[in-house]
Amino acid sequence: MTRHGKNATASAVYSYHERQKDTAEGEYGTQSAKIGRDSARNFDCCCLTLQPCADPVVTPDGYLFEREAILTNLLKQKRKIAKQEKAYAKQCKEKSAKPVKDLESEKFLNDQSSSSAIKVKESITAVDNSKKLNNFWVNNLQGHASKEEIKKPDTKTYCPITSKPLRLKDLTTVKFTKMPPDEKAGTSLYCTESRYMCAVTKDALSNAITSVVLKPTGNVITLDCYERLVKKDMVEPLSGEKLKEKDIIMLKRGSTGYAGAKNTGEELIAKKKGAVLMAN
């Protein structure tokens, strides 16, 4: 189709090109675009700051964090829990103090004669009914929202990615093996394409290669190296320590830098929904 045909407006048919043009200019319909490599989080970047880790730690689920970032997050959760516990204790104290006043009023009514007790009760109910009446113009009769009851707070801290319980002692220090410096490149470690390598086979690590963290030492090796050299005897190849199944942590590879992505298996497509354009 020629350019003149694409820009033709006399046609009775709403062409595909016109639909695409209106969608891009008028934000109609759902616009989708594949997320490029620049938006993908590298395997050695923190899940919170999305920057290369200088002091990395890993969770039991395999999510990598900068030590300072995850400690700040857990400390913030602790402070919030302490604030909620203080408010909950104050509420419990107020609840325990209320029944005492009610018992004293009932005892006073029982001690009085039956006639006087009835009069007191009638006056109390009249006052209560007047308080229940809502009148915007009268200050004393204005309605007020009931105080929301505070529930007992949860004292556990959670992982910001998986929302699973996470404690400080669950974090494992990660020791990446740096690539040898390239004399020709002359760039810093954070600017190089491949920053780290397998501690045993010296293969370069990247998002395309699944890596494994050995918990006792924190060394990072490739999954292929683990299955061929470590899995059979379950011995740490560098230190000689005995390993268990729980000591093997699969390092999660970055899927995307967007906050909504939590799993590496997600489709790397960004979508923006707009108004639907109906064609007659």
Side-chain angles (χ1 to χ4, degrees):
M1 182 181 291
T2 62
R3 184 173 182 80
H4 174 73
K6 286 185 178 181
N7 294 330
T9 57
S11 176
V13 180
Y14 189 49
S15 65
Y16 173 77
H17 175 74
E18 291 175 338
R19 182 185 294 273
Q20 294 296 108
K21 185 178 179 181
D22 292 340
T23 301
E25 294 180 356
E27 298 184 356
Y28 291 107
T30 301
Q31 302 182 38
S32 60
K34 187 174 181 180
I35 298 174
R37 184 181 178 185
D38 295 337
S39 299
R41 180 183 64 84
N42 290 330
F43 73 98
D44 59 339
C45 291
C46 174
C47 292
L48 290 176
T49 62
L50 305 180
Q51 298 297 324
C53 295
D55 186 10
V57 292
V58 67
T59 65
D61 294 324
Y63 290 95
L64 196 72
F65 292 98
E66 179 72 38
R67 186 184 297 274
E68 182 180 357
I70 189 62
L71 292 183
T72 303
N73 184 275
L74 295 178
L75 181 59
K76 187 177 180 181
Q77 294 184 42
K78 283 288 188 182
R79 289 176 178 174
K80 185 177 180 181
I81 292 170
K83 188 176 180 181
Q84 292 175 349
E85 286 181 340
K86 188 177 180 180
Y88 180 73
K90 183 179 179 181
Q91 177 182 267
C92 294
K93 187 177 181 180
E94 291 176 355
K95 281 186 176 181
S96 60
K98 284 182 179 180
V100 176
K101 296 182 180 179
D102 295 336
L103 291 174
E104 291 178 356
S105 61
E106 289 181 3
K107 185 178 180 181
F108 173 75
L109 292 175
N110 292 332
D111 293 342
Q112 301 298 325
S113 61
S114 59
S115 58
S116 60
I118 292 172
K119 291 180 181 179
V120 172
K121 286 183 180 180
E122 289 178 352
S123 62
I124 291 173
T125 53
V127 172
D128 293 340
N129 292 332
S130 65
K131 289 182 178 180
K132 291 179 181 178
L133 297 176
N134 295 330
N135 192 334
F136 177 78
W137 304 106
V138 182
N139 189 23
N140 295 332
L141 299 181
Q142 288 181 359
H144 300 282
S146 58
K147 191 175 182 180
E148 186 178 357
E149 185 177 356
I150 302 174
K151 297 181 180 179
K152 187 176 182 180
D154 188 5
T155 57
K156 295 180 181 179
T157 54
Y158 294 90
C159 174
I161 304 299
T162 61
S163 298
K164 294 181 179 179
L166 180 66
R167 297 173 297 178
L168 184 61
K169 64 179 182 180
D170 295 334
L171 300 175
T172 302
T173 303
V174 179
K175 296 179 182 178
F176 285 110
T177 303
K178 296 181 181 180
M179 292 284 290
D182 189 359
E183 297 179 359
K184 295 181 180 180
T187 57
S188 64
L189 181 65
Y190 295 103
C191 298
T192 56
E193 188 72 16
S194 298
R195 291 187 282 265
Y196 303 107
M197 62 182 180
C198 175
V200 179
T201 62
K202 310 302 179 183
D203 293 332
L205 302 178
S206 65
N207 278 7
I209 301 174
T210 305
S211 304
V212 173
V213 179
L214 304 180
K215 192 174 180 179
T217 58
N219 292 324
V220 181
I221 62 176
T222 61
L223 180 62
D224 184 60
C225 175
Y226 165 72
E227 292 180 347
R228 291 187 178 187
L229 304 177
V230 181
K231 190 174 182 179
K232 183 178 180 180
D233 299 329
M234 292 302 288
V235 177
E236 217 282 352
L238 298 178
S239 64
E241 298 182 29
K242 283 289 184 179
L243 299 175
K244 300 179 181 178
E245 289 294 335
K246 63 180 182 180
D247 295 334
I248 310 301
I249 302 175
M250 301 287 291
L251 194 62
K252 299 290 184 182
R253 292 174 288 176
S255 58
T256 173
Y258 287 88
K262 295 184 178 180
N263 300 320
T264 56
E266 290 186 0
E267 189 177 7
L268 301 182
I269 295 180
K271 293 184 179 181
K272 181 181 179 182
K273 295 183 179 180
V276 179
L277 182 63
M278 300 298 293
N280 296 329

